[in-house]
Amino acid sequence: MRTPVIAGNWKMNLLPAQAAALVNELKPLCAGANCDVVLCAPYINLPAAMAAAAGSNIKIGAQNCHWATEGAFTGEVSANMLRDIGVEYVLTGHSERRTLFGDTNETVRDRTRAGLDAGLTVILCVGEVLQERQQGITYEVVRLQTKVALEGVSAEELQRVIIAYEPVWAIGTGLTATAEQANEANKWVRDCVAELYGQAAADALVVQYGGSMNAANAAELLAKPDVDGGLIGGASLKAADFAAIAGAA
């Protein structure tokens, strides 16, 4: 049985004191959750979030990492830096990094590699934009992104990879893929991993849905056999909503 993972992506929101307050509000609400709970915070909020989460079942992740361990990369943060301060998870390939900041399949692969090398658990994001969905090439896009990102990742390392399918057209738009669409794409991800690593590895892989999951639709989405949790955006900033999603898992 796969343990569901409910991960919040705070994006560029909250100041450190607000981050700590939200974690403290969430701790009692998520204490009995039958899932893994992760909060991915802006870099500046990581120490405050980790201090607040200490001793609880809430884990803290970062929203990105650079592919190099060190060097002349002004404004960047390495995976080793994250690990050194106690971060356990990192997002790679989020659609906003791809569409707004120029991440490619290859740089996502390199960031994923860096996260794994540093000992982090990587939440790898894949998904299609609206035009690709309308063109009927979601299957091809998701498989390509998955294959490139996992290049060089061993079967043992795959155990520290979570894949989040996020239809880009359903993020922050109010649109949500149907539960059937989400499950279909998640299964395509799992089938792709089965081709690369074997069915047992694919069956053990946690595949999240990351397209505007909220308190109202979480139960229906999470009931699907290939939806093993969610990567939560806006709802992760509201303690009651995020706790409800964790409860649905």
Side-chain angles (χ1 to χ4, degrees), residues 7-9 11 40 62-64 90-99 103-105 107-109 111-112 121-128 141-150 161-168 171 186 189 206-211 230-232:
N9 175 17
K11 306 190 179 184
C40 294
Q63 296 174 7
N64 195 28
V90 65
L91 295 176
T92 63
H94 190 276
S95 62
E96 289 162 2
R97 300 303 312 177
R98 294 178 188 261
T99 59
D103 249 340
T104 66
N105 290 340
T107 61
V108 172
R109 173 198 63 201
R111 295 182 198 278
T112 299
T121 295
V122 174
I123 301 177
L124 164 66
C125 302
V126 301
E128 82 285 11
V141 170
V142 167
R143 284 174 57 86
L144 177 63
Q145 291 178 350
T146 300
K147 285 187 173 184
V148 174
L150 294 179
V161 175
I162 296 165
I163 298 182
Y165 165 65
E166 45 164 15
V168 182
I171 299 173
N186 279 26
V189 170
V206 171
V207 185
Q208 299 174 310
Y209 173 70
L231 180 59
I232 315 301

Side-chain angles (χ1 to χ4, degrees), residues 43-200:
Y43 294 133
I44 196 69
N45 291 345
L46 292 172
M50 286 187 295
S56 75
N57 64 326
I58 296 174
K59 305 298 183 183
I60 303 300
Q63 296 174 7
N64 195 28
C65 67
H66 197 266
W67 53 79
T69 56
E70 59 184 6
F73 303 104
T74 301
E76 294 295 325
V77 173
S78 75
N80 285 343
M81 292 174 179
L82 297 172
R83 185 65 190 183
D84 193 63
I85 65 169
V87 172
E88 298 182 54
Y89 290 76
V90 65
L91 295 176
T92 63
H94 190 276
S95 62
E96 289 162 2
R97 300 303 312 177
R98 294 178 188 261
T99 59
L100 298 178
F101 300 105
D103 249 340
T104 66
N105 290 340
E106 289 71 27
T107 61
V108 172
R109 173 198 63 201
D110 295 345
R111 295 182 198 278
T112 299
R113 176 76 268 156
L116 292 172
D117 285 345
L120 302 176
T121 295
V122 174
I123 301 177
L124 164 66
C125 302
V126 301
E128 82 285 11
V129 299
L130 181 59
Q131 184 180 15
E132 291 166 336
R133 164 66 66 169
Q134 292 173 334
Q135 291 172 336
I137 58 173
T138 298
Y139 174 80
E140 290 83 358
V141 170
V142 167
R143 284 174 57 86
L144 177 63
Q145 291 178 350
T146 300
K147 285 187 173 184
V148 174
L150 294 179
E151 184 180 349
V153 174
S154 70
E156 182 178 3
E157 290 170 330
L158 186 69
Q159 297 175 43
R160 287 189 287 115
V161 175
I162 296 165
I163 298 182
Y165 165 65
E166 45 164 15
V168 182
W169 49 271
I171 299 173
T173 62
L175 301 174
T176 307
T178 66
E180 290 72 23
Q181 287 173 321
N183 191 71
E184 178 183 53
N186 279 26
K187 188 175 188 306
W188 289 339
V189 170
R190 199 179 308 283
D191 289 347
C192 181
V193 171
E195 293 175 18
L196 297 172
Y197 297 94
Q199 192 62 51

